Amino acid sequence: MKLTAFLLLAACLHISAKGLSQQITLSEKGAPLKKVLREVARQAGISVVYDEAQLAATYPVTISVKNVSVQTALDKALAGQPFSYKVEGSRITLVKASSVNTAAADSSITVTGKVVDEKGDPIPGATIRVQGTSTGTATDANGHFSIKVPSPKSQLAFSFIGYNQQVLQASANPMTVKLALSSTSLTETVVVGYGVQKKSVVTGSISSIKSTEFENQPVTRVEQVLQGRTSGVTVVASSGQPGSASSVRIRGNTSFNNNDPLWVVDGVVVDNGGVSYLNQSDIESMEVLKDAASAAIYGTRAANGVILITTKKGKEGKLRVNYNGYVGTSAPARKLNLLNATEYATLINEGLVADGKAPKYANPAALGEGTDWQDLIFNNHAFRQNHEISLSGGNDRSTFYTSFGLMKQDGIVATDISKYQRATYRINSTHKIAKWLTFGENLSYAYEKNSGLGNTNSEFGGPLSSAINLDPITPAVVYDKTVAANAPYTNTGVVRDASGNPYGISDAVKQEITNPLAYIQTRLGNYNYSHNLVGNAYLEAEPIAGLKLRSTFGGKMAFYGSDNFVPVYYLNSSTTNTRTSFTRDQNNNRSWNLENTISYSRTINKHDFSVLVGQGAYMDGYLQNTNVAYFGIPASTFKEASLNYKIANTNKTASGKDGLLHTVASYFGRLNYNYAEKYLVTGIIRRDGSSRFPTDRKYGVFPSVSLGWVPTKEEFFPENNVIDFLKIRGGYGSVGNDYIVDNGALNEHGYLSTIGDGRNYTIGGEILVGNSPNAPANVLLHWEETHQTNIGFDLAFLKHFNFTFDWFNKKTVGILMNPRVPTYTGSFSNPPANVADNQNRGIDMELGYHGKIGEVQLNVNGNASYVKNKSLYLGDGVGYITTNQQNFQSSTYPITRTVLGYPLNAFYGFKTAGIFQNQAEVDAYVDGKGNKIQPNARPGDFRWVDTNGDGAITEADRQVLGNPMPTWTYGLNISATYKNFDINLFAQGAGGNKIFQGLRRLDIKEANMQNKALGRWTGEGTSNTYPRMTLDDPNRNYSNPSDFYLEDGDYLRLKVLQIGYTLSNNVLKRIGAQRLRVFVTGENLFTFTKYTGFDPEIGGTVSSIDRGIYPQARSYMFGLNVTF
Amino acid sequence: MKRKFFKSIIIAAGGLLVFAACSKSFLETDPTGTPVENNYYRNETEAFKGLVAVYDVLGWQGNAYITKTGMADAASDDHYAGGGSSTDVSGLQVMSNYTVDAATGPSAELWQKGYAGVFRANLLMEKLPNVPMDENKKKRFVAECKVLRAYFYFDLVRLFKNIPLITKTLATSEFNTVEQADPAQVWALIEKDLTEAIAETQLPDKLAGSETGRMNKGIAHALLGKVYLWEKKYAEAAAQFELVNGIPGASNAYGYSLLSNYADLWKFTNKFNSESIFEISFSSLSGGTWDCTSCTEGNVLNVMVGPRGYSPTPGAPDYYSGWSFLPVTQSLFDALHFDPRFNATIINLDSLEKNGIAKYEKGYMNTGYFLAKFAAKNSDRTTGGGNVELNFGQNLYEIRLADSYLMEAEALVRAGGGTEAGSRAYTLLNAVRARVGLNPVSATIDNIMKERRLELAGEGHRWFDLVRTGDAATVLASKGFKAGRNEILPIPLQELENTKIQQNKEYGGTK
């Protein structure tokens, strides 16, 4: 109201012969009053005089008139406005209505107050606007504001990006306005790599998860956050062992080597599997960059998608202390139905008789239930707890966030040797050195310690596999003194319980399958540990508005290792150890990266653009490993074991390893442009050089472009109450991969022919070291590339709903692998090469509802994804490859194979066509020439499909039987708040895959069976799916890998159900807290599946092969959140 | 502020430039600890390490416990595969019951072993001309490579018949274009390699001390004799053996003599004794562990053949509990039962158990009889690190003097020589018998072959002898041996993938 208050602007158009009699035609929708007045003035050729400052307090005008008088037009335009008008000749002057209607000179008041978020933290920079005017202000650094409004009845709109707008009536008393996070909102920002972007203008395919979605959920490792909460991401736990990693796949398997996405934490590239150090409460948001157009900014290692994690930062204001924690217990969710002793003996007898042998058990019924091995190893009360305390705060110059976390979790299987614990510490801080210069750092330390079963998802022993395979007749502990005094209990090293009774040793089931209680005793105390120090520091300068220069240095130091003691033991005749050993393994692994970026963003009229250029250097693979083993130390338990024993040098072995460095140098640039947030363009180019390629082929260039269009912002888009926002987007780009694995080890110098050692021979009594080349060089080695097209749209509709859809076609070409070279070349290993192409096609969908029904605040998010994988090319004339081929037990044939035109590592084996019910059917199963195909089969045996029609069942009859990778993944998250209560339900599932149910050892004929064996074929018409009992198995009913072992992998799991109650303020004030919430959580309460194993969620190099997977636990927890 | 702004721009730009300048070397990383082939073989030390790598293949065991000896024993009428179950070490099981096919069996391991050896020998012979070192030593290295290459090809051609003949290292472009050679060409190369090695004056006649285990002229002659025997060139064979055997039971040019006590041959410490001609070295001190069973220098046969779950009473024989592979058949037991060599050859656990002296666990195809020659005793346990099972260090005889005597006798008789007293064949055969106190018999082919079975039991010769003489089809019929098929092994399945290699006719192929 300073100068402008007196500055009268007149729109004077001196067109004669016009005037008040002029017919006015107007059509405006939501136009500013000023615009309408000017239009009236133009058409009538008169002047309209007004005070521009006052005009600010007017409402937008919607008017549609045809050939009316000036007065009529003005009356309509000013209806409801706080103005009237005076006509003075050919001049019209606007007059404030108040001065006409009331005597009061000025009813305007000054409103002050504060805008805070849900937790009561101030929101700086929130906008306060007087409704219907353009008058507005913003909150200061402490969330305070002050604004003059025209009247006490004025409505004030409070808004901030990412929060729901609130409209309140002005108040003379200081107002405290609480804004709730908006989860629908298209005003949300997402992290896009080297910056943030408004979600409404993003053109790529990015899924974002905010901390509110997983804050109080029982998450042991961050990968689990992604499971079921985003589309396009398949997360499969590789074990229910606490703390074990999950495999994360973004839009399918792309390569033969590495399919893990790139993890970037606060801008630091963290190597694969290395995110276990993160504490979930420290995470602010996770973003999944799914398509090439988004991921291309991380060009090099982005072929499998990128996951960006942003940790929490402090906020200005008073110190905040937050505690989150829970305690609970876990139990196995499911037990297998195995045969009891009577059933077992009956079936074994039946098999022996069928093989023409004498039955082994005289009186099966007398054996009763026998030993339930599962009961002996399962813990129904495994304890788990998690505590996290964070402190944050700061002032206008510095802010900080620091947290401590402690997690302890006991496994549900053989708890004595299955434990996990983690302690974390984090400090994130930012400091404004000068107005234009900011320094910040994010630093975290984590210690993890875990004890594992030593053998999980392995058919070769371990407590789970043993519990499934051991016969129920063998007692867990032998109490009979006469039995205990005889072989095999006379052997040195027989393991005994606390009272000195030996643990039972099975006479029927041997090899690696041992008494799990005895096995546990041999591994007590052994553990792995890791110390991880991960952090980065950055300096950011903003010398002029919009121009930012940023330098970031990040690094990770990991110290990890293990202590293992092996006592003298005799578990059975083939699982013995005749002298003690103590092994210590220590590793020191370091990596660092340096990035420099310059970005500039500016808005000129409706043109909004930002440019980013940058450079990065990355180094990893710096590993130092030493491993020392002492043999024959005089210790009998882990506790007694020590390297302090002075044993003869010849009884010590030592080995070590130096890592080979992997370096990447990159240059990258990005241009974002949008016109009025209506037409959107993003272009990215990145050039990466990798040390893994020969000098002239080190660099790869990875461009991408994506476009978007927001039709709802177009003038012509019809006004409606259905579609609030629509954005259509599409993009194409390529990303690269330099990851080459050979025999499980990274191949850093595949382009060189290196000389390997260890080709040793004993000459003159001395072991001499021999050297020979490893593999021929491949000088043509270059980047593997993934090209991806993505088309999708984002839709907000009916005010409360949003829907996102993406279709993608992802093609990987020149896949890096080590194609098998013929062994007659004498090559020690297979040289890497760019062979094979692979395709993933699919769709991602997300649907959300956010609204209020009565007093219930309801948020529902659902997502579903489908991906179809297919190998397109495997080399010239190559129909299949055997890389990563999976074997099962001693089965003659591998169970997976990558066949052209089918998914990677598909299940491969024989196909069954029912069971021969009688001899006539055996005789009738003939080929074209009338020859019997299975002349030696007997009724009750499988009829194998003679795929190639050659009249015999041979290896050539094997075929692709199913896909081990789920094609569908979906999730549903419902949260509702009613008064002080809140409830959260999270369900997740996957399907479309097959599971190889390999729980039983086929080579151990007398291994126990699941009770579905009771439904075996016992005579004509008894079964067409489960063959007759036989131990010799001449028809290979059991020993051929076939569809007999494949089951559908579909499942739906109620992952989390949580009910919380937030205590009212009065109670809290007494203890000095701001907010206190208590909750109970149930995890993995129900799993709906037809699968007959422990758990349908089975990870691994090739997923869905169940060799006795450590099942996911069902847990119940009680928790507390307190904010001070 | 302006000035600061420009300063930071300059620093940032400078940083970028510096980085760009050194980024080239930044991207060149070292294969630390692994030399690059182009820079290797620079001197005698490195050339010698290349030679050791060729020798390494002699002791090749792979990860699947497959050895030539184990395979041949399992396939013979003297042993079953045994082990823990019908699928334990399937490569041996399928040889024992003759269900071997291209996908399952010992083929892959033995094929790879042979060609790894051929490649390493070829490579070293190509590298040697450019290595600055003593020329005489070079000549010796080349001669050793030739003996070794001949040995590898001899096994390959005997086992697989139709094999590629590769005499130089292959370029990557040639990897998939190699074709199988006429077996006659392979036999010719073997003869040529051995003949050339024998002609090389730098190849020593005998070795001692720090060189034991390397190739010498004695080995070359004995091996060439054996090659001729396989080729049915009996006169040539006999001539070679005569050079090795000298005067039977007395002396020869290379100093070989039969040990007076037969049982001493099987003492793990009795390495490179006077009876040994061609011996394959193992060591108990390489610290091998389960992490890499193929990496150990220990002899896996030792633990494999031991009685399973052996639990002795005080005073019982001292055996290390093993995995019960290669149990001795009743047929061999009966043949040897009253032979002076019985105790050194067979452990009769059946009898020990019946007499309450020791107990053991009956493995697959258990007969109660175990192969004593290789069974480890507790006293043989390693004094070094590593898993005990993988670090027994007994050497294996590839050719020993008794074998060489018997082969010469056979060659002589087959060439038409005399069989009775006064004939050289008679003297040779009975020198072997006399050592264990047996009366002389006439040197008929039957007697010689019977003697070979008893004298060399369990040493991996029996099956090869049966195949070579054509007796396999009758002797092994009960085990499932099919004439016209099981005389050779199938080419390993994977070797047919994307190559020009064709499967042997015997296994449904076209070669």
Side-chain angles (χ1 to χ4, degrees), chain A residues 265-283:
Chain A
V265 181
D266 291 323
V268 181
V269 172
V270 176
D271 57 1
N272 290 308
V275 287
S276 67
Y277 72 92
L278 282 171
N279 190 10
Q280 85 188 77
S281 287
D282 293 344
I283 297 171

Side-chain angles (χ1 to χ4, degrees), chain A residues 61-81:
Chain A
V61 177
T62 299
I63 187 171
S64 180
V65 289
K66 205 169 180 187
N67 298 332
V68 297
S69 69
V70 171
Q71 280 94 336
T72 313
L74 285 176
D75 285 346
K76 282 210 171 203
L78 292 174
Q81 303 274 13

Side-chain angles (χ1 to χ4, degrees), chain A residues 16 59 133 154 206 229 245 385 461 543 574 591 600 602 724 844 909 1060:
Chain A
S16 54
Y59 307 114
T133 76
S154 298
I206 299 174
R229 292 190 178 90
Q385 56 178 324
S574 47
S591 58
Y600 183 65
R602 208 172 154 190
D724 308 317
D844 299 342

Side-chain angles (χ1 to χ4, degrees), chain B residues 3-26:
Chain B
R3 199 185 283 166
K4 278 180 188 162
F5 163 42
F6 284 119
K7 217 186 225 173
S8 50
I9 291 264
I10 288 163
I11 291 168
L16 284 172
L17 282 175
V18 168
F19 214 83
C22 68
S23 71
K24 201 169 176 187
S25 59
F26 178 69

Side-chain angles (χ1 to χ4, degrees), chain B residues 61-96:
Chain B
Q61 294 177 148
N63 274 317
Y65 305 109
I66 298 293
T67 57
K68 183 177 74 174
T69 309
M71 178 282 293
D73 278 357
S76 77
D77 56 336
D78 291 349
H79 306 267
Y80 298 116
S85 76
S86 59
T87 47
D88 203 358
V89 185
S90 61
L92 297 185
Q93 304 292 346
V94 296
M95 286 308 289
S96 195

Side-chain angles (χ1 to χ4, degrees), chain A residues 434 436 486-487 490-491 510-511 541-544 547 549 570 572-574 576-579 592 594 596 598 614-619 631 648 650-653 658-665 667 688-695 698-699 748-749 751-765 767-777 820-828 831 876-882 885 890 892-893 897 955 958 1002-1005, chain B residues 1 4-5 8-9 12 15-16 19-20 23-24 26-38 40-41 48-53 55-60 84-88 90 101-104 108 111-112 115-116 119-120 123 164 166 170 172 174-178 209-214 272 279-283 285-287 289 297 308-311 320-323 359 361-362 364 381-389 492-495 497-501:
Chain A
W436 58 277
N486 279 297
T490 48
N491 282 293
K510 296 169 191 171
Q511 289 176 244
E542 190 169 3
I544 55 170
L547 178 70
L549 295 92
Y570 181 96
N572 67 27
S573 61
S574 47
T576 63
N577 187 46
T578 53
R579 66 170 171 173
W592 58 258
L594 172 70
N596 296 300
I598 302 172
Q615 164 270 328
Y618 312 82
M619 191 286 292
F631 291 87
T650 49
N651 284 333
K652 299 172 186 171
T653 59
D658 285 319
L660 301 178
L661 295 187
H662 170 222
T663 51
V664 173
Y667 301 92
D688 285 306
S690 165
S691 61
R692 290 191 180 130
F693 301 114
T695 309
K698 285 195 183 301
Y699 282 93
E748 294 292 350
H749 297 94
Y751 59 93
L752 294 174
S753 172
T754 52
I755 299 285
D757 50 19
R759 321 283 149 83
N760 302 352
Y761 192 65
T762 311
I763 292 174
I767 298 171
L768 302 182
V769 173
N771 291 82
S772 75
N774 289 319
R820 214 185 143 272
V821 297
T823 40
Y824 59 65
T825 61
S827 181
F828 189 83
D876 286 330
V878 179
Y880 68 91
I881 52 165
T882 49
Q885 160 180 284
S890 310
T892 311
Y893 306 100
R897 176 179 278 191
E955 59 185 45
R958 291 176 297 159
L1002 306 178
D1003 53 335
I1004 301 179
K1005 292 178 174 178
Chain B
M1 188 178 115
K4 278 180 188 162
F5 163 42
S8 50
I9 291 264
L16 284 172
F19 214 83
S23 71
K24 201 169 176 187
F26 178 69
L27 291 178
E28 301 286 351
T29 60
D30 270 341
T32 320
T34 4
V36 174
E37 187 189 337
N38 295 339
Y40 204 67
Y41 306 102
F48 183 66
K49 283 173 183 250
L51 183 65
V52 172
Y55 276 104
D56 169 40
V57 178
L58 291 176
W60 186 286
S85 76
S86 59
T87 47
D88 203 358
S90 61
D101 61 28
T104 329
W111 175 277
Q112 190 182 1
Y115 280 104
F119 165 73
R120 293 182 197 178
L123 178 89
I166 299 164
L170 297 169
T172 320
E174 299 168 312
F175 273 12
N176 295 317
T177 61
V178 171
S210 67
E211 295 197 325
T212 52
R214 291 175 69 173
F272 298 102
E279 183 168 327
I280 294 172
S281 294
F282 291 94
S283 167
L285 296 173
S286 70
T289 64
E297 297 299 316
R308 179 171 284 255
Y310 183 67
S311 76
Y320 186 84
S321 190
W323 303 340
K359 286 182 180 158
E361 191 186 305
K362 283 84 188 161
Y364 181 63
R381 290 162 57 118
T382 173
T383 55
N387 292 102
V388 175
E389 291 86 343
L493 193 61
Q494 286 202 313
E495 213 62 3
E497 269 177 33
N498 313 316
T499 65
K500 299 208 155 147
I501 303 298

